[in-house]
Amino acid sequence: MASRQPTYAEARRMLQAIEGRLARGLAGLEEPAAPAPTVAELVERFVVEYSRPKVKDLDKYRRHAATALRRALPFLGALRADAVRASDIARTRDLLARRAAGNSVRLTLAFLSTLYSWAQKAGLVAANPVRGIEQPPRKDGLEYLNQQEVQALLRAAERRAASGGIDERLLHVCVATAVYT
């Protein structure tokens, strides 16, 4: 191998590298690292191999992860996992936001971040490109009445109770219970 180097200096450098590895108990030359998997291949491995002691129902977690990550595959699936940059994630977020609800986009980004953290710990990628990406605003499923709206509701109920339409005590119990639960 050293004899096939283009210059004497490069052949000498290669021989020194081989000798150094032998002195450390390592044989031959370093094998080149295998190329990083694509994002689609990484997702396949993740939904099979990922586990964490805090996850109560691992099968359910993996199904949810697979569903959420599938949303990102049309945009990222063919890319090598170590070549994905934060700008690719931001573009994916923006494209997903056009056709999915904000909370679904947030969930996809959360699973992508977990995927990359897992891959980083496994030595498959060097960094997590999802970290630091701005997420769409969270939308709560339940809407609550503010204090003014509760007061207006109580006044309307008192007027209705005064006309005999509703028992005022029962109405106060219902409204008070709904406000404090």
Side-chain angles (χ1 to χ4, degrees), residues 34-42 45 77-83 116 119 124-125:
T38 65
V39 174
E41 294 166 342
L42 195 60
R45 278 187 65 181
L79 299 175
R80 279 199 7 240
D82 62 346
Y116 268 96
L124 300 171
V125 296

Side-chain angles (χ1 to χ4, degrees), residues 29-67:
L29 291 173
E30 253 185 272
E31 293 291 324
T38 65
V39 174
E41 294 166 342
L42 195 60
V43 167
E44 284 179 35
R45 278 187 65 181
F46 177 77
V47 297
V48 171
E49 297 176 18
Y50 180 79
S51 68
R52 189 170 165 210
K54 289 186 177 182
V55 176
K56 292 179 183 174
D57 186 348
L58 193 55
D59 289 333
K60 183 177 178 181
Y61 178 88
R62 287 176 176 169
R63 282 193 311 274
H64 286 296
T67 300

Side-chain angles (χ1 to χ4, degrees), residues 76 79-90 116 129-130 133:
L76 300 172
L79 299 175
R80 279 199 7 240
D82 62 346
V84 174
R85 299 181 321 255
S87 59
D88 297 320
I89 301 295
Y116 268 96
V130 186
I133 295 294

Side-chain angles (χ1 to χ4, degrees), residues 19 25 59 70 101 115 130 136 154:
E19 289 172 351
D59 289 333
R70 231 178 275 123
L115 167 82
V130 186
L154 284 172

